[in-house]
Amino acid sequence: MLKRSLALLLGAALLIAGSCDVPFLTPASAALNLRDGQVNVQLDQPLILRLSRTVQSNLLSKAFLIMPTTDGSLESQPDGRSFTFRPTRGWLELTEYHVYLAGFRDSGGSVAGRSWTFLTTVIPRVLSVASAAGTAVAEGEEVDQGSPLTLTFNSRMNPAATTLTVNGSNVEPTWSSDHYSAGVPTDGLPAGAAELALVAGRDDLGHIAAAWKFEVTVAFSIHIATTHVGFPVLIQVPNDGYGARPQAGLQAAEMVFEYLTEGDITRLTALYTDVPGVVGPIRSGRRISFRLTRHYHGALFLSGLSNDANSVLRSDPVPAIFETGGFYRDHSRYAPNNLFISGDGLVYLAGGVRLPDFAVPKVRPKLSGGSDGGAFDVAEHHSSYRYDAVTGTYGKVEDGQQIMDAGLGQPVRAFMVVLMHTREFLVRDIESGCCTHGRDFDLDSSGTAEFWYRGLHYGGTWSAADRSSPFVFRLSDGSELTLPRGMVWVDVVGGG
């Protein structure tokens, strides 16, 4: 009877062992390489889960959970007891994570459930750069000279422990009350590239900031009240030294073309897509002004034409608007250099011309190399140019006179100077008096060119695909040169 009872007890024990994972054995335990409640965990920190025995990896993967949900992979190590989880894109900053291992059973027995929490660190850094108007500034983008930039951080910074520099020199930022943003001044910076840098810093919790560099292009701007016109308007502006200067409205032009006329004097054709309050004086047109109007798909504003030039225009017309409503005489000046046009009058007259919209492309040039271009002369136009590093522009002196914009009361500043060499020749047109022949220029083919931009000189070419295409400027290596924002002065000279 006793033997039979022992046999039944042993059988029951074996049955229980076979169905209940051998209750005599301790469940396998798990440990994490982070302690429960750990803080300041690095954002690339892998999680290493270690089991007290080997377990089946497919079952462990199903029992493993991280909240918030995080992309990553759980990799089994060769010993079958260690498993590594690496977040694909790193952990979120200042986030509390919960790691769960649900209890489960595999062929080796049971595995005890476990959970941990940890808090990630934050790496203070600059999140964005914005202009004074609040517009985001991209790397390398132009910013107005003198306009402060706002740097926004991802953490509340400690101003006393944070050092910002511009072009290697420390700056005194203006911090917001919450210390999440800082205003960086640009006053006194010369035009051109400027590097902003965070060279040292800590947030209020003592976290060390990430080093940061960011380049912007400081651009000198002249703010002029203008009205937009859908297509270019080209205005004939005299440039003689006996009453035409100072002209009004030149600074607002997209491009100003200067060329020699009869009597060894020069004339200007100023091209606008945004017109200022006043432009002038205005004088008669020349053959080259017809060519420029055709190349840039615009309308020509002028006071008149000689009989011969008028015949040329009638035989091969371009839109032309002669002295009419909107034009007026400034009686503080002597005729013939006292005819002007108001911006409102110009816009009104342009509204009567049926032309499709057309704009002169303006994209900041990306140049390298170049030679010294701080000062140079254009002998054919009796002109000297000198570069101003603070504004990144060129001033112009002609016949010993500083070229001024009377509307602004300031010297005219060219953001780029282009010298177009082309074939220049006399024509039969009588332009002045009884026997002074006019000039013309071949603008419908190609020629050599020179460019001055931000204190440097470059060689290259100009070309026109046909008589109705804008000029294409190229550098010596064949790359296309884009024109900068602001007025570009183009000297058209012989010798091309």
Side-chain angles (χ1 to χ4, degrees):
M1 187 70 176
L2 180 59
K3 288 182 178 180
R4 188 166 180 267
S5 298
L6 288 172
L8 289 172
L9 182 62
L10 179 59
L14 290 172
L15 180 63
I16 294 171
S19 62
C20 298
D21 291 328
V22 192
F24 310 116
L25 300 178
T26 302
S29 61
L32 195 66
N33 61 326
L34 301 180
R35 68 178 182 274
D36 186 27
Q38 187 165 330
V39 299
N40 282 331
V41 173
Q42 297 301 308
L43 305 183
D44 59 353
Q45 172 68 55
L47 300 183
I48 302 175
L49 191 66
R50 294 186 178 90
L51 282 298
S52 59
R53 65 169 172 82
T54 59
V55 298
Q56 292 174 250
S57 60
N58 63 321
L59 295 178
L60 183 136
S61 294
K62 293 178 181 179
F64 184 75
L65 177 67
I66 298 176
M67 294 297 292
T69 303
T70 304
D71 291 337
S73 59
L74 186 65
E75 299 176 358
S76 175
Q77 301 305 309
D79 63 6
R81 298 172 54 184
S82 299
F83 298 83
T84 302
F85 179 87
R86 289 184 172 83
T88 303
R89 290 181 291 273
W91 306 109
L92 299 176
E93 292 180 299
L94 282 181
T95 301
E96 184 176 75
Y97 283 89
H98 299 269
V99 181
Y100 301 98
L101 180 65
F104 68 94
R105 290 179 297 177
D106 67 358
S107 60
S110 63
V111 176
R114 183 80 189 272
S115 66
W116 303 263
T117 63
F118 65 89
L119 181 67
T120 56
T121 190
V122 62
I123 301 175
R125 64 185 182 279
V126 178
L127 292 177
S128 64
V129 179
S131 68
T135 305
V137 176
E139 179 89 16
E141 190 174 346
E142 287 188 349
V143 298
D144 283 347
Q145 188 180 55
S147 180
L149 298 172
T150 299
L151 278 53
T152 300
F153 293 82
N154 67 329
S155 185
R156 181 183 175 92
M157 299 301 291
N158 179 350
T162 302
T163 302
L164 293 164
T165 64
V166 176
N167 289 339
S169 298
N170 289 3
V171 295
E172 292 295 334
T174 302
W175 288 92
S176 62
S177 58
D178 62 6
H179 294 172
Y180 273 93
S181 63
V184 177
T186 63
D187 301 88
L189 290 179
E195 183 184 78
L196 282 64
L198 174 65
V199 297
R202 291 180 181 271
D203 66 7
D204 279 357
L205 298 176
H207 297 116
I208 299 175
W212 172 84
K213 290 182 179 180
F214 189 88
E215 186 175 287
V216 296
T217 301
V218 177
F220 171 74
S221 298
I222 301 174
H223 299 284
I224 304 172
T226 58
T227 303
H228 183 68
V229 181
F231 55 83
V233 293
L234 296 91
I235 303 178
Q236 288 298 103
V237 180
N239 194 37
D240 56 71
Y242 47 86
R245 303 177 191 139
Q247 300 94 333
L250 290 180
Q251 191 65 66
E254 297 281 357
M255 305 173 77
V256 175
F257 294 89
E258 181 176 5
Y259 44 85
L260 205 59
T261 61
E262 67 285 348
D264 200 36
I265 61 173
T266 63
R267 185 145 294 180
L268 312 176
T269 299
L271 184 157
Y272 299 84
T273 52
D274 295 277
V275 297
V278 176
V279 179
I282 299 174
R283 293 286 297 274
S284 57
R286 297 293 183 269
R287 288 196 181 203
I288 185 175
S289 51
F290 308 153
R291 294 183 184 274
L292 291 169
T293 302
R294 190 174 291 111
H295 276 293
Y296 283 94
H297 305 272
L300 182 65
F301 285 69
L302 65 168
S303 65
L305 291 168
S306 68
N307 291 334
D308 290 335
N310 196 39
S311 296
V312 173
L313 178 63
R314 287 199 306 270
S315 65
D316 190 9
V318 296
I321 299 174
F322 296 89
E323 182 178 351
T324 182
F327 289 76
Y328 66 93
R329 294 283 173 176
D330 180 351
H331 296 294
S332 67
R333 297 196 184 209
Y334 292 107
N337 289 319
N338 65 350
L339 180 65
F340 288 76
I341 188 169
S342 68
D344 290 342
L346 196 156
V347 171
Y348 174 78
L349 292 171
V353 181
R354 301 293 183 181
L355 285 175
D357 287 356
F358 182 83
V360 178
K362 291 292 189 79
V363 180
R364 181 168 60 88
K366 295 182 179 180
L367 301 172
S368 60
S371 57
D372 178 44
F376 61 97
D377 298 329
V378 178
E380 186 169 313
H381 296 166
H382 316 292
S383 296
S384 297
Y385 294 88
R386 186 171 296 277
Y387 180 67
D388 175 24
V390 174
T391 62
T393 61
Y394 288 88
K396 178 180 174 71
V397 173
E398 188 162 350
D399 298 321
Q401 291 181 304
Q402 178 80 49
I403 300 300
M404 303 284 293
D405 188 316
L408 301 177
Q410 298 178 8
V412 166
R413 299 182 183 277
F415 287 77
M416 176 183 280
V417 179
V418 177
L419 187 61
M420 289 178 60
H421 297 274
T422 188
R423 186 171 67 91
E424 175 184 342
F425 49 95
L426 294 176
V427 294
R428 63 176 179 80
D429 305 2
I430 301 300
E431 292 293 352
S432 179
C434 69
C435 50
T436 304
H437 288 273
R439 295 174 184 267
D440 199 2
F441 300 81
D442 175 12
L443 299 184
D444 303 339
S445 56
S446 62
T448 59
E450 298 175 69
F451 313 102
W452 286 265
Y453 179 66
R454 295 234 166 118
L456 294 173
H457 170 249
Y458 304 86
T461 61
W462 68 270
S463 64
D466 53 49
R467 69 199 298 259
S468 299
S469 298
F471 302 130
V472 174
F473 300 108
R474 296 189 183 277
L475 298 171
S476 297
D477 62 5
S479 61
E480 186 171 344
L481 175 70
T482 56
L483 301 181
R485 292 188 305 165
M487 187 266 287
V488 175
W489 197 283
V490 183
D491 286 282
V492 182
V493 299

